Amino acid sequence: MRRQLPLAICFVMGVSMVVQFFIPHRVSQEFYRTILDWYRIVFAFSLVLGTGTLIKVHWAKISKKSKGWQYSIITIGGLVFMLAVGFITGIQEGTLFMKIFEYVEVPLEATMFSLLAFYIASAAYRAFRARTVEATLLLIAAVVLMLGRIPFGYYLWHKIPGIAEWILTNPNMAAKRGIVIGVGLGMISTALKIILGIERSYIGGGK
Amino acid sequence: MNLSPDPWVWLAALLTLCIYSFLYKDNPFYKAAEHLFVGLSAGYFLVIYWYNAVYPDMVVPLFKQGKLLCIIPGLLGLFFFFRFIPKVGWVSRWSIAFYIGVGAGMSIPATMQMRILEQMKGTMQPFFSLETWHVFVENPSLASFGALIGIPLMIVGVMCTLSYFFFSREHKGVLGGMSRIGIIFLMIGFGASFGYTVMARISLLIGRVQFLMSDWLGVID
């Protein structure tokens, strides 16, 4: 019951999702849609669990007055405020919820990612030192790609954008395809191992 | 200068500056903005999932249409919280098993289709194209030469990259040579990805600076 039933549930659900893919019947498609809805609902509950853990961690910091506990108040405050606003105003365009999303969350996220533009320069310095043939190839491909995406590259030599595009669609695509196929095979074998109960670490330890 | 009168724009601008203050050093303004982002994001996703998944797919069918079957995902979801009760913590495994099983089952055909068959289909082109050869002969240029060698290069590149990831045999002889060529393709691929990522980040940076200069300060159009 404690270990065998979860394995059985996983097996039955996994096999049925694979089998339904090959049955183009109305019942099969209805089954797929229902399970997909359930999947999203269960995922939503797991989000609640994750948020609960987030609150627990920050609440502990506040109650123990650990270093930087004041920031935990901002996290919990922001979370509670967003939840309250979302449930009161709804998520339609123009509501306070969407205003906060548009003018607080989106700028914060975009700015955080754009910060990487500065730090990526120092990373590039370390990665681009042309010590070996491989590192030189990496350097050339990256520089051509960067120059090909900006007007300055065109002014340097009008063929640079074309070369950048060619690198992107040929040697880069070849490497990406090799990686994608390899990753895909790995994903399928892992999924099979999970469904067949060979990989069962998700159950955790204990009885 | 034409400062924005919109308080929302001011809020967005100040938060943007708070994040950029990290370029000087880690400071309370950055930390506050960072923690605010974490809290708001968690709240945002919960609300979005409530309105887009839980409410229309569980609450409405269960309580307004009387579809009792919809209680199952609700129960499975609630079982997650049994983790907090040590005596019955094992019940949460049922929800995890459902989630993992469905995910694994769905991923097999989808991965096979998108990551393997589609990629193989894209690679399995005629090795030599007479059309691109004619174009090259009539108009020999860098572009036409690139198009001519594109397909053979793609096939060789995919084969060699795959052979680099083949660890069941020692990389010696033909396999060693192929995997060596595979490394060259991989390095070009990583370089291209790096360059692409840098440009994507810089374009985000341009977007933020544009927002500050145009929407907030109004110094540029």
Side-chain angles (χ1 to χ4, degrees):
Chain A
M1 186 78 165
R2 293 185 179 193
R3 294 192 73 86
Q4 298 308 315
L5 190 60
L7 290 175
I9 293 172
C10 185
F11 177 78
V12 170
M13 291 319 300
V15 170
S16 14
M17 292 315 281
V18 174
V19 170
Q20 72 76 31
F21 181 81
F22 297 99
I23 307 172
H25 190 269
R26 192 178 50 81
V27 176
S28 162
Q29 283 161 1
E30 187 58 40
F31 170 77
Y32 175 73
R33 272 194 293 273
T34 306
I35 295 297
L36 204 62
D37 286 344
W38 290 11
Y39 188 72
R40 285 164 61 213
I41 293 165
V42 173
F43 177 72
F45 276 94
S46 72
L47 268 183
V48 178
L49 186 73
T51 310
T53 311
L54 181 81
I55 294 173
K56 205 173 140 188
V57 168
H58 284 281
W59 191 256
K61 275 181 96 175
I62 295 169
S63 53
K64 286 179 190 164
K65 296 245 185 312
S66 311
K67 195 181 168 207
W69 62 274
Q70 298 90 336
Y71 303 115
S72 295
I73 296 177
I74 297 176
T75 303
I76 295 181
L79 168 67
V80 172
F81 181 69
M82 201 62 169
L83 284 177
V85 168
F87 286 123
I88 293 167
T89 69
I91 56 168
Q92 287 78 26
E93 208 56 49
T95 54
L96 182 60
F97 180 79
M98 288 317 282
K99 284 264 186 205
I100 295 171
F101 175 71
E102 197 181 332
Y103 286 101
V104 179
E105 208 169 313
V106 170
L108 279 173
E109 190 175 2
T111 315
M112 287 224 186
F113 279 110
S114 74
L115 259 189
L116 286 177
F118 295 95
Y119 294 104
I120 220 163
S122 68
Y125 173 72
R126 270 167 277 170
F128 287 0
R129 274 181 294 182
R131 285 176 174 169
T132 57
V133 178
E134 289 86 3
T136 313
L137 283 170
L138 194 129
L139 168 75
I140 294 169
V143 170
V144 170
L145 236 298
M146 285 190 271
L147 286 175
R149 298 270 143 186
I150 51 172
F152 180 67
Y154 181 83
Y155 291 128
L156 273 182
W157 189 32
H158 70 282
K159 285 185 176 163
I160 286 184
I163 295 172
E165 194 57 35
W166 185 82
I167 290 177
L168 210 57
T169 50
N170 289 284
N172 170 61
M173 182 67 87
K176 286 279 153 62
R177 278 203 174 134
I179 294 171
V180 166
I181 292 172
V183 169
L185 290 170
M187 281 171 73
I188 291 174
S189 66
T190 307
L192 278 172
K193 277 165 78 179
I194 289 170
I195 291 170
L196 298 174
I198 299 165
E199 166 62 51
R200 50 179 78 177
S201 56
Y202 65 90
I203 294 177
K207 273 194 251 176
Chain B
M1 194 185 268
N2 184 17
L3 279 174
S4 168
D6 189 347
W8 286 107
V9 172
W10 274 81
L11 182 64
L14 292 176
L15 288 170
T16 302
L17 292 177
C18 283
I19 297 288
Y20 279 141
S21 67
F22 186 76
L23 290 170
Y24 170 61
K25 66 175 187 180
D26 201 2
N27 64 75
F29 294 109
Y30 172 77
K31 277 186 182 159
E34 187 191 29
H35 281 74
L36 180 68
F37 177 64
V38 172
L40 289 182
S41 298
Y44 174 78
F45 283 111
L46 276 182
V47 172
I48 289 292
Y49 264 89
W50 167 262
Y51 281 111
N52 290 339
V54 180
Y55 187 74
D57 295 333
M58 194 188 87
V59 177
V60 172
L62 186 63
F63 297 109
K64 293 188 178 169
Q65 297 165 355
K67 291 181 181 171
L68 291 176
L69 211 61
C70 289
I71 205 164
I72 297 172
L75 285 175
L76 282 171
L78 287 175
F79 288 163
F80 271 127
F81 300 98
F82 279 54
R83 290 183 79 84
F84 296 117
I85 312 165
K87 271 193 173 177
V88 285
W90 52 271
V91 178
S92 67
R93 288 173 182 161
W94 298 352
S95 324
I96 298 168
F98 171 83
Y99 191 75
I100 298 270
V102 172
M106 277 198 297
S107 79
I108 291 177
T111 308
M112 185 55 100
Q113 211 166 31
M114 294 311 299
R115 287 182 177 264
I116 297 175
L117 298 179
E118 281 297 319
Q119 299 303 324
M120 283 169 71
K121 196 173 129 190
T123 310
M124 288 178 187
Q125 304 287 334
F127 197 78
F128 183 76
S129 159
L130 269 179
E131 199 182 319
T132 51
W133 171 252
H134 286 310
V135 172
F136 175 65
V137 170
E138 283 164 20
N139 177 27
S141 66
L142 203 62
S144 58
F145 180 69
L148 180 70
I149 62 163
I151 295 170
L153 200 75
M154 175 73 75
I155 296 168
V156 171
V158 173
M159 298 286 286
C160 292
T161 307
L162 279 174
S163 57
Y164 174 73
F165 291 111
F166 184 70
F167 300 115
S168 300
R169 265 187 61 192
E170 200 179 342
H171 286 189
K172 284 198 306 194
V174 178
L175 185 65
M178 282 178 77
S179 69
R180 176 93 192 121
I181 299 169
I183 293 173
I184 292 172
F185 275 92
L186 281 169
M187 283 300 156
I188 296 173
F190 292 146
S193 301
F194 190 89
Y196 204 73
T197 310
V198 170
M199 294 320 286
R201 297 288 182 258
I202 286 178
S203 119
L204 272 175
L205 176 66
I206 292 168
R208 295 320 299 155
V209 173
Q210 213 164 23
F211 168 76
L212 291 174
M213 294 297 186
S214 173
D215 295 17
W216 183 43
L217 296 175
V219 288
I220 54 168
D221 285 329

